[in-house]
């Protein structure tokens, strides 16, 4: 099985760092829970998508991005998947300027994956040859059905409108998702 894992909102907690930066710039006090849909950052701060992406680049450049999974746990889970013959890729849609910062974060954090794929523009993560994607983007629920590929949707405040379906399984974390894919673990 070829497994794709997103970075932001799945492995990396860049949203909290982005909120700190934007609250400071715009003299606001929004919380993580206020980001209750995919376009909430732009709407709350009244900024364009381009401005939001530039601020995300700044957060990554400053190295302020936290982790959403213990790295020893992640390395152990990836190793178990490698033993089973699975491959694990980072598949992330982002601006090209942020690529070196994310690569540095992945290297510094010793994330042991089979490859890193960055997409920009309108490309779908499901265009990459993966069988399953672990992501937090609610828009991928429709794409999963279109492509006939499974999405394990990591719970975040901005994706609560998506329910489990034939192609979508909600999970609490990337660790839970990787555990559920191991033999002998079942989910509904």
């Amino acid at each position: 099985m070829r497994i794709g894992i997103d970075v932001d909102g799945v492995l990396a907690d860049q949203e909290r760092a982005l909120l700190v930066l934007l609250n400071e710039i715009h003299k606001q006090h929004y919380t993580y829970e206020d980001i209750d849909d995919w376009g909430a950052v732009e709407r709350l701060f009244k900024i364009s998508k381009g401005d939001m992406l530039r601020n995300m680049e700044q957060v990554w450049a400053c190295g302020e991005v936290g982790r959403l999974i213990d790295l020893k746990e992640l390395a152990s889970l990836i190793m178990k998947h490698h033993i089973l013959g699975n491959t694990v890729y980072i598949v992330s849609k982002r601006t090209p300027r942020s690529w070196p910062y994310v690569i540095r974060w992945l290297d510094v954090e010793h994330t042991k994956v089979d490859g890193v794929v960055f997409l920009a523009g309108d490309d779908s993560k499901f265009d990459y040859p993966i069988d399953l994607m672990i992501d937090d983007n609610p828009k991928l629920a429709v794409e999963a059905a279109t492509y006939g590929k499974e999405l394990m949707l990591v719970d975040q405040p901005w994706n609560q409108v998506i329910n489990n379906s034939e192609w979508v399984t909600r999970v609490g974390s990337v660790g839970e998702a990787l555990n559920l894919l191991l033999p002998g673990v079942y989910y509904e």
Side-chain angles (χ1 to χ4, degrees):
M1 176 184 297
R2 295 164 302 189
I3 302 166
I5 301 176
D6 184 38
V7 176
D8 300 309
V10 177
L11 294 176
D13 191 8
Q14 65 65 237
E15 198 71 32
R16 290 183 203 275
L18 180 63
L19 276 174
V20 168
L21 175 66
L22 290 174
N23 277 328
E24 184 179 305
I25 291 170
H26 296 277
K27 310 288 188 248
Q28 297 295 326
H29 303 284
Y30 293 114
T31 66
Y32 192 70
E33 290 71 28
D34 291 325
I35 310 302
D36 59 0
D37 66 58
W38 193 249
V41 170
E42 296 103 306
R43 180 177 38 79
L44 293 172
F45 291 101
K46 297 175 179 54
I47 60 174
S48 69
K49 184 174 183 173
D51 287 339
M52 190 219 27
L53 293 173
R54 280 186 287 284
N55 283 295
M56 283 178 67
E57 289 171 358
Q58 184 177 346
V59 165
W60 276 102
C62 293
E64 307 262 335
V65 178
R67 295 186 289 274
L68 291 173
I69 184 171
D70 175 75
L71 296 177
K72 288 181 182 173
E73 176 189 0
L74 179 62
S76 172
L77 287 167
I78 291 172
M79 184 178 68
K80 288 176 185 177
H81 280 277
H82 285 156
I83 290 169
L84 293 170
N86 296 337
T87 52
V88 181
Y89 300 92
I90 299 296
V91 182
S92 183
K93 198 169 194 176
R94 55 190 335 100
T95 62
R97 287 188 60 194
S98 70
W99 296 356
Y101 306 123
V102 175
I103 289 291
R104 183 176 63 216
W105 186 85
L106 290 168
D107 285 345
V108 167
E109 305 299 352
H110 308 296
T111 307
K112 306 289 186 206
V113 294
D114 296 290
V116 178
V117 178
F118 291 130
L119 305 171
D122 294 330
D123 293 337
S124 170
K125 292 178 180 178
F126 290 116
D127 285 331
Y128 188 74
I130 55 171
D131 302 306
L132 177 141
M133 186 70 203
I134 302 171
D135 209 299
D136 64 318
N137 184 342
K139 294 179 180 182
L140 289 182
V142 172
E143 288 184 29
T146 301
Y147 283 81
K149 295 184 179 182
E150 188 174 354
L151 170 66
M152 296 188 97
L153 188 66
V154 176
D155 284 333
Q156 291 291 2
W158 49 85
N159 66 27
Q160 294 303 302
V161 298
I162 304 298
N163 295 315
N164 285 337
S165 69
E166 179 181 359
W167 301 106
V168 178
T169 303
R170 294 191 68 85
V171 292
S173 68
V174 65
E176 179 183 347
L178 289 170
N179 268 312
L180 287 172
L181 294 170
L182 294 172
V185 180
Y186 302 96
Y187 60 94
E188 296 181 23

